[in-house]
Amino acid sequence: MTTGVRRRMGVEERRQQLIGVALELFSRRSPDEVSIDEIASAAGISRPLVYHYFPGKLSLYEAALQRASDDLAGRFVEPAEGPLGARLLRVMRRFFDFVDDHGPGFAALMRGGPAVGSSTTNALIDAVRQAAYVQILSHLNVERPTARLELMIRSWISLVESTALLWLDGRRIPRGELELQLVHDFAALAAVSAAHDEEMSEQLRQGLKGESGDGPFSDLVVRLVALASPPDA
């Protein structure tokens, strides 16, 4: 009979393991409720060894947030192929996959969690928002957005964040409906802003080329027409 030999991890490998363990725990419960002892137990090491790799819970929390924010920012990456509405819907599905899987961790990332107000946490949140903004501009094939277009996109990103946070509190609206609604919100915000800015209007015309008749944007038009139509006598 052979006896298994436990492999000793290198420093960076152990750090990455601890970050993964912490992120998994933070995904299930608020980071405030997760102790260093729990993280150590889940990682199969002693509490003092956790402190060997991280000075304290805050530094481990921030490292976990860094990994989570990188993952979240990547959810907005989408090949520039096919209609814009369909692309945005796929982005929203991946975004809500993350929200669904990491509810408490997502809330902590957006609200600051134990590190609320820290420069590190604020920088991570800003980086996610900026990555999302850059990706949306890429979807629109716009390099120099007008002031109104920038305002509209950043407002929509804030709307997506706040909607996801509210959805986590009870999940009272079916997720798929909410994803589609947010894509509709993008189109509605863009249309209102473009009505006040001819340059933005032209940028949107270029970005919306190739929209399909059965896509999310066309679906919104059908719903609005139905809403505006008088009820049957």
Side-chain angles (χ1 to χ4, degrees):
M1 186 175 80
T2 59
T3 303
V5 178
R6 190 173 182 178
R7 184 174 64 85
R8 185 183 182 88
M9 290 188 182
V11 173
E12 185 56 29
E13 186 179 7
R14 177 66 77 183
R15 278 179 55 84
Q16 293 304 316
Q17 183 217 17
L18 285 170
I19 291 171
V21 166
L23 184 57
E24 177 63 25
L25 290 171
F26 295 155
S27 296
R28 297 199 297 265
R29 305 203 325 271
S30 168
D32 290 315
E33 300 172 358
V34 178
S35 69
I36 286 291
D37 287 331
E38 287 182 86
I39 295 171
S41 176
I45 62 176
S46 66
R47 175 189 175 98
L49 195 53
V50 175
Y51 286 110
H52 175 73
Y53 294 99
F54 294 94
K57 179 179 171 180
L58 179 58
S59 63
L60 179 52
Y61 172 73
E62 289 179 343
L65 282 188
Q66 177 69 70
R67 182 180 292 185
S69 64
D70 290 344
D71 183 1
L72 186 55
R75 304 293 172 119
F76 285 87
V77 177
E78 173 73 21
E81 301 171 358
L84 176 62
R87 279 182 267 155
L88 288 180
L89 188 56
R90 288 193 293 270
V91 167
M92 286 296 94
R93 285 171 181 162
R94 287 197 301 272
F95 178 84
F96 272 88
D97 281 343
F98 181 96
V99 173
D100 223 353
D101 293 339
H102 303 281
F106 172 79
L109 174 62
M110 292 297 113
R111 292 171 176 153
V116 63
S118 79
S119 58
T120 299
T121 304
N122 290 340
L124 289 174
I125 295 169
D126 288 343
V128 171
R129 290 169 178 158
Q130 181 62 20
Y133 171 71
V134 170
Q135 284 301 317
I136 297 302
L137 283 182
S138 175
H139 292 313
L140 291 170
N141 196 27
V142 172
E143 294 183 0
R144 296 179 180 274
T146 67
R148 276 199 176 89
L149 180 57
E150 178 177 359
L151 179 62
M152 185 279 294
I153 294 174
R154 293 194 186 278
S155 296
W156 179 72
I157 291 168
S158 295
L159 175 63
V160 170
E161 289 176 16
S162 59
T163 299
L165 288 171
L166 288 169
W167 177 75
L168 283 171
D169 186 17
R171 308 185 186 216
R172 291 171 291 175
I173 298 175
R175 184 185 133 177
E177 292 181 14
L178 209 55
E179 293 165 355
L180 179 59
Q181 180 181 316
L182 285 166
V183 175
H184 287 172
D185 287 335
F186 180 92
L189 287 170
V192 171
S193 296
H196 297 273
D197 187 328
E198 182 56 38
E199 184 180 353
M200 176 181 168
S201 178
E202 181 56 33
Q203 289 178 332
L204 284 176
R205 286 193 191 98
Q206 296 301 316
L208 293 173
K209 280 184 176 179
E211 284 301 307
S212 61
D214 59 352
F217 291 165
S218 298
D219 175 65
L220 174 60
V221 172
V222 171
R223 290 171 186 256
L224 291 176
V225 169
L227 183 64
S229 299
D232 293 336

